[in-house]
């Protein structure tokens, strides 16, 4: 402990000091990471190659899967490596990069979920103007704004957080460089600027949440007026997975960032951090594919023997060229 905390980096306490439990944690995280990797890559591939999945909804879903893939890759591989090596040390530079990409991708995820809810609102509540509202140019602009907003948020948090002088041991009671936990290391009254940035980003997230809620209020009021039970079922099948993802991600992330960080390692803190860092990127592909007939048909086609052979020949031709 003394040797590690005397360095310029940080010590991530992780889940346990017991090496056997660390190995178990690494294996569980590895399985989860491979599932998330496979599921999100499948969605990205299918929505890119299947001509039937070129609507704005699937365009945004593709970017959500790309964000999920990057988001889980920021924290989980580092945690697996630390557990296997029985060494929680992370360098100062690695921590800076982790904080930047974590905040940037989390902010982008909130933004893309907001855009997706507006897309569902336009499709259900304003069907006659949908193609005009969500044209290809508007979709590209929305996705560009999502990535830029996330990058700006990550840059602000990183610049402010790592300009604060730290006091005491550089021990973080998490499995990654968590901003609320890092603020505990700041010298007294030196983190006002970080609180201001956090207040700004929290306000932006609240605006996104209100926008999502208003979109779904309009959607459900429109759906309840549909006379056909089949039509209502079809709409609910499209919207409920997205609503579940939004609720789960924002509620767990909000609890983790808004409640005061504990002075010691807390099982609840670790559990909630897993809920918004690991679980959403893993279950999102299942949620969006399980009840979507078009996605299931496209996945079956992509995984069929004939289709797989065609893709393989296509990739061989590209690499040969």
């Amino acid at each position: 402990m003394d040797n590690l905390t005397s360095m310029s980096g940080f010590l991530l306490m992780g889940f346990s000091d017991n090496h056997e439990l660390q190995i178990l944690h690494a294996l569980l995280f590895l399985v989860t990471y491979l599932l998330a990797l496979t599921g999100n890559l499948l969605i990205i591939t299918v929505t890119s190659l299947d001509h039937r999945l070129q609507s704005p909804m699937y365009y945004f879903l593709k970017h959500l899967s790309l964000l999920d893939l990057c988001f889980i890759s920021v924290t989980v591989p580092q945690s697996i490596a630390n557990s296997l090596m029985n060494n929680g040390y992370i360098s100062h530079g690695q921590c800076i990069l982790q904080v930047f990409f974590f905040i940037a991708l989390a902010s982008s995820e909130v933004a893309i979920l907001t855009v997706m809810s507006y897309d569902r609102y336009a499709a259900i509540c304003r069907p006659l103007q949908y193609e005009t509202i969500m044209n290809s140019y508007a979709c590209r602009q929305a996705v560009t704004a999502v990535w830029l907003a996330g990058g700006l948020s990550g840059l602000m948090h990183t610049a402010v957080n790592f300009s604060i002088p730290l006091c005491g041991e550089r021990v973080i009671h998490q499995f990654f460089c968590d901003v609320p936990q890092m603020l505990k290391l700041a010298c007294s009254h030196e983190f006002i600027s970080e609180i201001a940035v956090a207040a700004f980003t929290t306000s932006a997230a609240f605006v996104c949440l209100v926008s999502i809620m208003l979109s779904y209020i309009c959607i459900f009021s429109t759906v309840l007026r549909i006379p056909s039970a089949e039509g209502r079922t079809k709409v609910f099948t499209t919207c409920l997975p997205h609503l579940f993802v939004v609720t789960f991600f924002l509620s767990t992330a909000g609890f983790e960032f808004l409640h005061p960080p504990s002075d010691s390692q807390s099982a609840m803190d670790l559990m909630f951090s897993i809920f918004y860092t690991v679980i959403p990127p893993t279950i999102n592909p299942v949620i969006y594919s399980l009840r979507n007939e078009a996605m299931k048909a496209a996945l079956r086609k992509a995984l069929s023997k004939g289709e797989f052979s065609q893709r393989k020949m296509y990739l061989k031709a590209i690499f040969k060229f």
Side-chain angles (χ1 to χ4, degrees):
M1 176 75 75
D2 293 335
N3 290 337
L4 289 170
T5 53
S6 64
M7 298 180 185
S8 61
F10 300 89
L11 180 65
L12 304 177
M13 296 304 293
F15 295 92
S16 174
D17 293 331
N18 187 293
H19 190 51
E20 286 75 18
L21 292 177
Q22 289 178 347
I23 296 296
L24 178 61
H25 148 253
L27 292 175
L28 291 174
F29 262 31
L30 179 61
V31 171
T32 305
Y33 182 65
L34 291 177
L35 287 174
L37 196 69
T38 303
N40 286 293
L41 281 176
L42 273 175
I43 287 184
I44 293 170
T45 303
V46 167
T47 53
S48 298
L49 298 178
D50 197 304
H51 66 278
R52 296 169 298 178
L53 303 179
Q54 300 304 312
S55 66
M57 181 177 75
Y58 296 109
Y59 177 70
F60 297 135
L61 178 58
K62 176 171 64 177
H63 282 273
L64 176 64
S65 294
L66 181 59
L67 282 168
D68 281 337
L69 188 62
C70 298
F71 187 57
I72 196 171
S73 298
V74 170
T75 56
V76 171
Q78 177 74 48
S79 180
I80 293 172
N82 288 350
S83 295
L84 291 176
M85 294 186 295
N86 194 24
N87 183 1
Y89 177 75
I90 182 171
S91 70
H92 189 265
Q94 286 176 308
C95 198
I96 290 175
L97 290 175
Q98 197 173 70
V99 167
F100 170 75
F101 284 110
F102 183 85
I103 297 294
L105 293 167
S107 302
S108 294
E109 184 133 351
V110 174
I112 196 71
L113 290 172
T114 307
V115 171
M116 292 174 75
S117 68
Y118 180 77
D119 172 67
R120 292 299 82 209
Y121 159 78
I124 295 167
C125 301
R126 304 180 65 182
L128 298 179
Q129 294 86 29
Y130 178 68
E131 291 188 2
T132 303
I133 296 172
M134 303 305 296
N135 57 67
S136 58
Y137 176 76
C139 291
R140 287 195 299 270
Q141 291 291 101
V143 167
T144 301
V146 163
W147 287 94
L148 288 177
L152 180 61
S153 177
L155 190 62
M156 287 192 302
H157 274 280
T158 306
V160 172
N161 192 63
F162 286 93
S163 64
I164 299 172
L166 303 180
C167 299
E169 295 180 337
R170 296 188 170 209
V171 179
I172 299 175
H173 294 285
Q174 266 293 0
F175 64 94
F176 64 98
C177 289
D178 187 28
V179 171
Q181 289 288 334
M182 293 182 68
L183 287 179
K184 292 196 312 177
L185 309 179
C187 298
S188 179
H189 307 299
E190 294 287 348
F191 51 86
I192 302 301
S193 55
E194 172 60 27
I195 292 176
V197 172
F200 173 76
T201 52
T202 302
S203 301
F206 181 74
V207 170
C208 290
L209 178 61
V210 170
S211 300
I212 292 170
M213 291 173 60
L214 291 175
S215 295
Y216 274 99
I217 289 172
C218 294
I219 287 170
F220 289 139
S221 64
T222 302
V223 168
L224 294 176
R225 293 198 297 267
I226 298 176
S228 167
E230 183 181 353
R232 289 195 298 269
T233 302
K234 184 178 180 181
V235 173
F236 280 127
T237 300
T238 304
C239 294
L240 287 180
H242 178 257
L243 187 58
F244 174 80
V245 169
V246 170
T247 305
F248 187 83
F249 181 76
L250 290 181
S251 60
T252 53
F255 175 84
E256 176 65 17
F257 275 87
L258 293 178
H259 88 287
S262 58
D263 293 329
S264 60
Q265 194 167 15
S266 166
M268 182 173 289
D269 288 339
L270 290 170
M271 181 181 67
F272 272 93
S273 64
I274 291 174
F275 279 168
Y276 75 89
T277 59
V278 180
I279 302 298
T282 307
I283 65 173
N284 282 358
V286 179
I287 291 172
Y288 281 107
S289 304
L290 193 60
R291 301 189 65 186
N292 189 308
E293 294 299 328
M295 281 294 300
K296 288 194 287 188
L299 285 171
R300 283 194 296 267
K301 182 181 177 183
L303 295 174
S304 65
K305 186 176 179 181
E307 187 73 12
F308 180 77
S309 299
Q310 291 178 11
R311 302 296 184 209
K312 189 175 179 181
M313 291 175 61
Y314 176 69
L315 291 173
K316 281 184 177 179
I318 291 176
F319 285 119
K320 184 177 180 181
F321 177 76

